[in-house]
Amino acid sequence: CAYYKSDDDSLKEAQLNKDRYILQKLVTNPGKELLDIGSGWGTLLFMAAEEFDLHATGITLSQEQYDYTKQQIESRHLQNKVTVLLEDYRELKGNFDYITSVGMFEHVGKENLGLYFKKVQELLAPEGRALIHGITGQHMGAGVDQFIRKKIKKNSYIPNIAENLKHIMDANLQFTDIEPLRFHYQRTLETWYQNYLRVEQQVIEKYGERFDRMWSLYLQACAASFEVGNID
């Protein structure tokens, strides 16, 4: 999910806006420790170190993401400011002043949501702050779609906002801010789909027409779901 500050923002600009917005909302202080749970390709880690002067640790289960992040740490000369770990977040120990987690909780499964937020609380230093971003919904059964669960994201589960709030309270965390960004995600998906159309024929040649129909439906249906508020 990118964050569009202007109608003229490119997808890349909007994606960088998103990472910067996250760090700004945390009101970070230089020299403090940040943890990114599910750190992806490391963009937020690099921005935290280079623009906000934080010591940033990322954790991922993807060997490819781990290898890429390690390479970027070296090429950017961030060895003293950025660390990436290849392990399960549930095994992590320590205390961090700030915790971010972007697009993660919808992948842990319904049965693990409570544990996820309790782990965030456990890893936060006293007076620490976390910003958790993910897909949710504002009604019962939000985002539980058999097509997506079977064909796109196996075993994914999108909790409604009431579930998330209960787990957050049960973990003895305090709310300071809740912000829906669904129209930003709608536009992100619409841009992804336009980008996909540019290479659609190559995809068909590589994966076949069945995959093409599935992927086109996935991108367009998710954009529509964000637009109408089925997911948030």
Side-chain angles (χ1 to χ4, degrees):
C1 176
Y3 184 75
Y4 292 87
K5 296 175 69 175
S6 162
D7 289 341
D8 298 325
D9 285 346
S10 68
L11 178 63
K12 181 177 181 178
E13 288 170 334
Q15 288 172 326
L16 291 172
N17 289 345
K18 169 70 170 303
D19 288 333
R20 192 170 290 111
Y21 189 45
I22 286 170
L23 292 164
Q24 288 169 341
K25 289 194 79 164
L26 281 171
V27 194
T28 61
N29 291 313
K32 297 289 189 176
E33 299 284 339
L34 177 139
L35 170 68
D36 189 22
I37 300 175
S39 54
W41 303 100
T43 311
L44 192 148
L45 299 174
F46 309 141
M47 183 178 286
E50 293 170 340
E51 292 189 25
F52 291 80
D53 194 24
L54 297 172
H55 294 277
T57 299
I59 186 166
T60 178
L61 287 176
S62 164
Q63 184 70 54
E64 292 84 358
Q65 292 177 344
Y66 173 80
D67 292 341
Y68 176 81
T69 305
K70 287 280 285 186
Q71 178 267 319
Q72 286 291 305
I73 290 170
E74 293 176 9
S75 66
R76 293 167 181 256
H77 306 292
L78 293 172
Q79 293 93 329
N80 294 328
K81 298 194 74 171
V82 179
T83 303
V84 63
L85 305 172
L86 184 66
E87 64 179 88
D88 192 311
Y89 77 97
R90 292 171 291 188
E91 305 300 321
L92 188 62
K93 306 294 183 185
N95 280 127
F96 299 86
D97 302 293
Y98 314 109
I99 294 178
T100 55
S101 188
V102 182
M104 172 77 177
F105 67 63
E106 62 267 44
H107 298 287
V108 303
K110 182 178 178 67
E111 67 282 0
N112 292 316
L113 271 170
L115 184 151
Y116 168 81
F117 284 107
K118 286 177 181 175
K119 189 65 180 181
V120 169
Q121 193 275 343
E122 175 189 319
L123 292 168
L124 267 182
E127 306 302 320
R129 293 189 290 273
L131 192 150
I132 310 299
H133 171 79
I135 301 173
T136 183
Q138 296 189 28
H139 59 87
M140 298 303 293
V144 179
D145 184 274
Q146 292 306 313
F147 165 73
I148 289 178
R149 294 182 74 177
K150 183 177 181 181
K151 299 295 185 182
I152 308 294
K153 299 178 182 178
K154 187 177 180 181
N155 298 326
S156 67
Y157 174 75
I158 296 175
N160 67 54
I161 194 166
E163 287 180 83
N164 281 333
L165 300 190
K166 183 179 187 309
H167 288 307
I168 290 168
M169 290 188 294
D170 287 346
N172 292 319
L173 292 162
Q174 293 282 319
F175 304 108
T176 58
D177 181 75
I178 299 174
E179 181 177 2
L181 296 175
R182 66 182 175 91
F183 293 119
H184 293 273
Y185 217 152
Q186 174 194 345
R187 182 171 171 183
T188 303
L189 280 150
E190 290 169 347
T191 307
W192 286 345
Y193 181 61
Q194 292 303 313
N195 289 345
Y196 176 71
L197 291 178
R198 296 191 186 99
V199 295
E200 185 177 24
Q201 193 55 45
Q202 296 165 245
V203 174
I204 292 172
E205 291 169 5
K206 189 170 183 178
Y207 296 109
E209 292 185 356
R210 183 173 181 271
F211 178 89
D212 172 57
R213 290 193 302 272
M214 177 185 74
W215 201 249
S216 295
L217 175 61
Y218 163 58
L219 292 174
Q220 294 181 84
C222 286
S225 291
F226 280 111
E227 181 177 22
V228 301
N230 181 43
I231 50 179
D232 206 341

